[in-house]
Amino acid sequence: MLYNKILPYINTFTGVCLFAFLALVADVKAQEIEEPDDVYTVEQQGAAIGVRERPRPDYDPVGARIGSFLFYPSVKTGVEFDDNIFALSSGAVDDIIYLIDPQLVLKSQWSRHRLDFDFSLNHKEYQDNDDESYTDYKGTVESTVDVTRDFKIDASLFGGVLHEPRGSADSPTASTAAEPTEYSQVEAKVSLNKTFNRLTMSFGAAYLEYDYDDVSASGGGVIDQDNRDGDIVTLVQKSSYEFSPGYKAFVYGEYNTRDFVGNPGLDRDSEGYRILSGVEFEVSRILKGEVGLGYLEQDYSEATFEDIDGFSYRSGFIWHPTSLMTIKANGERSVAETVVSGASGRLDTTAAVTLDYEILRNLIASPFFSYQFSDFKGDAREDTYITTGMNVDYMLNRHFHFGMSYNYIERDSNEVGLDYDRQKVGAHVKAQF
């Protein structure tokens, strides 16, 4: 039974979270509320703070004080043009889309520990294609308990009712589905992080669950999506040792069990692992990151499915070439789920880079580029995704921000009829307190 299988993980997660909560409550009353810095300069804070992350007292929201928390309400509204809303290889249909995104954020202001809440709604209304309109709901709770100076516990819980974009690898095509696929997602994480002089150790666990709703078929009837329902339990351990100032060697191990419904007569359950070793580095205040290389394997219960194994990597870095520019890059090779007929899973190779440039103190431009290659194991299908574009944000004052965006998406597949390219152009205004 699925319940009996995941019960030990749920009990462990609940116990750690309860300990973290009790420690947090016991210590909060003795603390003083931290006040935000009134002045920020690159010289004071160092260029290691990203362009988009650094404080801007003249343009950041003030928030409302609620006890030892700050409350940040905001709402974003705008319009977007999409030249291929169904992600079709031919006969593209365009539309104008109106959006409204309210958000409520509550952040603790304690000198130790952290407890943050983030709730948001994302509604998009299509002008000419009503069936494509949707509303997403998301909520996140994050906490950190500083047990001692060198020992902390991080925990988070996410829940959402979301939709799957047209053109996703496993979503029904527009020729078969009359509307986008809606699904629910729940994710819980906890990690324990302890430092012993030059040695840092981290132990973590995560539970991820998907529940897909059935979709109305274009010709009438319903497309059953229950075969995509399932959950993933992941256990993680990472150890790093500082062998030289600014350089740490690390070993990362990950074990997962996956329980998915799958197509009738096919068992999509699997278990696997990934091992990486590499180096974390902080060469100076302007460059830090990590590179890890290793091996992964995913073994499937279904005898007819091809097991997945091979080279794996994970990398990322943040570079501040000047105080006005931040470059972020990351890449990974990992196993993803799929319901493509005959395929056991998907081996995804990804890479992405974003450049944030501060044209003016209140004007930031962010061009971006990402690449993904998906190899459907057990099936001949191979997909390549390229996404590129730019976001531009102008901060008028503390209460009003304006933005414009351009997004280009391309999928190149060896399966007939799955190629498409898509362009989106949008503008929005955000009101915040």
Side-chain angles (χ1 to χ4, degrees):
M1 295 290 290
L2 174 61
Y3 177 78
N4 293 330
K5 187 176 181 180
I6 67 173
L7 184 60
Y9 301 105
I10 295 176
N11 289 337
T12 300
F13 177 79
T14 303
V16 173
C17 287
L18 180 61
F19 170 75
F21 177 77
L22 293 175
L24 185 151
V25 171
D27 193 61
V28 163
K29 292 184 178 181
Q31 299 181 47
E32 295 181 358
I33 297 174
E34 285 188 327
E35 297 293 340
D37 294 335
D38 292 327
V39 179
Y40 169 82
T41 64
V42 174
E43 290 74 23
Q44 288 175 320
Q45 300 291 346
I49 299 179
V51 166
R52 284 192 174 272
E53 291 74 29
R54 66 184 52 159
R56 289 180 171 81
D58 295 334
Y59 305 105
D60 291 338
V62 178
R65 180 76 69 181
I66 302 179
S68 58
F69 289 82
L70 280 179
F71 176 56
Y72 298 98
S74 67
V75 60
K76 182 171 71 174
T77 184
V79 62
E80 179 182 87
F81 174 78
D82 188 334
D83 73 352
N84 189 1
I85 63 172
F86 297 114
L88 299 174
S89 58
S90 62
V93 177
D94 60 53
D95 206 344
I96 295 175
I97 306 148
Y98 306 97
L99 63 91
I100 181 168
D101 301 344
Q103 184 179 26
L104 303 175
V105 176
L106 195 64
K107 292 188 174 184
S108 61
Q109 300 296 296
W110 307 320
S111 59
R112 289 180 59 208
H113 310 316
R114 178 178 67 95
L115 182 61
D116 298 342
F117 302 86
D118 188 337
F119 303 98
S120 63
L121 178 152
N122 171 228
H123 178 74
K124 286 194 174 183
E125 188 70 29
Y126 285 70
Q127 180 173 278
D128 299 325
N129 298 268
D130 295 344
D131 289 340
E132 295 301 299
S133 301
Y134 65 84
T135 303
D136 287 347
Y137 308 87
K138 295 183 289 185
T140 304
V141 181
E142 295 181 337
S143 66
T144 299
V145 175
D146 300 306
V147 182
T148 63
R149 183 180 59 84
D150 53 10
F151 177 41
K152 69 176 183 177
I153 301 173
D154 293 316
S156 67
L157 179 64
F158 169 85
V161 178
L162 311 170
H163 90 290
E164 191 172 45
R166 295 285 196 177
S168 297
D170 286 87
S171 63
T173 62
S175 62
T176 58
E179 58 187 7
T181 300
E182 186 176 279
Y183 66 97
S184 301
Q185 179 180 332
V186 175
E187 185 173 17
K189 295 180 180 179
V190 63
S191 66
L192 287 71
N193 308 279
K194 172 68 175 176
T195 300
F196 304 90
N197 196 8
R198 293 188 176 187
L199 176 65
T200 301
M201 300 188 71
S202 176
F203 300 88
Y207 173 75
L208 177 61
E209 179 182 86
Y210 296 100
D211 184 4
Y212 286 83
D213 293 347
D214 294 341
V215 181
S216 299
S218 297
V222 172
I223 301 175
D224 188 358
Q225 295 280 280
D226 289 340
N227 62 333
R228 304 178 65 185
D229 295 348
D231 61 77
I232 302 174
V233 176
T234 306
L235 303 177
V236 173
Q237 196 282 321
K238 182 179 180 181
S239 300
S240 58
Y241 180 78
E242 186 177 15
F243 61 89
S244 180
Y247 294 89
K248 295 180 179 180
F250 73 85
V251 176
Y252 171 90
E254 173 187 304
Y255 169 78
N256 70 80
T257 61
R258 307 185 181 198
D259 189 340
F260 281 82
V261 175
N263 299 320
L266 294 177
D267 185 355
R268 285 200 171 271
D269 293 355
S270 67
E271 62 178 355
Y273 66 89
R274 178 167 60 159
I275 299 175
L276 301 172
S277 63
V279 177
E280 299 176 12
F281 56 88
E282 187 166 0
V283 179
S284 66
R285 293 283 291 169
I286 66 172
L287 177 62
K288 65 178 181 179
E290 72 169 32
V291 177
L293 307 176
Y295 183 85
L296 61 76
E297 183 174 313
Q298 197 73 26
D299 296 326
Y300 293 85
S301 300
E302 179 60 46
T304 61
F305 280 161
E306 176 184 339
D307 293 337
I308 301 176
D309 60 71
F311 167 73
S312 181
Y313 76 94
R314 188 179 66 188
S315 64
F317 73 83
I318 301 176
W319 180 31
H320 310 273
T322 74
S323 61
L324 303 178
M325 183 185 298
T326 300
I327 299 175
K328 301 176 183 178
N330 61 76
E332 189 171 13
R333 196 167 195 243
S334 58
V335 176
E337 294 299 311
T338 184
V339 289
V340 170
S341 180
S344 55
R346 215 175 65 219
L347 186 58
D348 288 345
T349 303
T350 63
V353 61
T354 300
L355 185 153
D356 296 326
Y357 183 70
E358 188 179 285
I359 302 172
L360 301 171
R361 186 169 177 80
N362 61 336
L363 179 62
I364 300 174
S366 299
F368 58 87
F369 175 86
S370 68
Y371 168 89
Q372 176 177 316
F373 176 74
S374 297
D375 183 4
F376 294 77
K377 293 298 184 179
D379 186 81
R381 179 175 167 181
E382 295 179 344
D383 292 351
T384 300
Y385 291 87
I386 291 178
T387 304
T388 188
M390 177 180 289
N391 296 315
V392 178
D393 293 287
Y394 174 73
M395 294 163 274
L396 178 65
N397 52 41
R398 290 179 180 270
H399 304 298
F400 292 99
H401 291 186
F402 299 90
M404 296 185 67
S405 63
Y406 171 75
N407 199 346
Y408 174 80
I409 306 170
E410 177 182 288
R411 178 169 70 186
D412 183 10
S413 177
N414 60 357
E415 289 280 325
V416 177
L418 294 183
D419 293 350
Y420 72 85
D421 59 76
R422 185 176 187 180
Q423 298 185 79
K424 300 179 184 181
V425 180
H428 69 265
V429 58
K430 180 179 180 181
Q432 60 187 21
F433 177 76

